[in-house]
Amino acid sequence: DFPTVALSRAEWDCDRRQLRLSLHPMNASVTGQSTSMRVTGLDDPSRWTATSPDGPPVDVEARGPDLLLHTEVGRHDLLVETR
């Protein structure tokens, strides 16, 4: 959903098999809007989930080989990991 939301960090932890993402809104006027993004390259997307330790809920949807993340625009982190 760029440029409405940008990733200021995308970091893969291979030991924990976790992907950490940090979201950053384009400006204050878009904060709270719905947004989605696609994570590719996961071995089986249906076995993955996402949470936000400091933000709104994250809904996940396995679609083909990808994992879709649905959340809100804001300044918060997402953690993608196996269930």
Side-chain angles (χ1 to χ4, degrees):
D1 208 7
F2 182 81
T4 303
V5 64
L7 293 176
S8 57
R9 177 177 75 162
E11 178 182 2
W12 174 251
D13 183 331
C14 62
D15 294 330
R16 293 184 174 161
R17 294 184 46 86
Q18 294 177 334
L19 176 63
R20 288 194 162 274
L21 305 171
S22 295
L23 305 182
H24 185 85
M26 176 175 65
N27 57 44
S29 70
V30 298
T31 299
Q33 291 182 7
S34 296
T35 188
S36 62
M37 62 192 70
R38 184 178 308 267
V39 179
T40 63
L42 301 175
D43 50 355
D44 178 358
S46 66
R47 295 182 51 227
W48 292 77
T49 190
T51 58
S52 178
D54 60 350
V58 183
D59 293 322
V60 297
E61 173 189 355
R63 187 177 296 169
D66 301 332
L67 183 69
L68 300 180
L69 309 180
H70 304 280
T71 189
E72 294 178 9
V73 175
R75 187 182 297 260
H76 53 270
D77 293 331
L78 301 179
L79 179 64
V80 180
E81 58 190 342
T82 54
R83 297 178 194 254

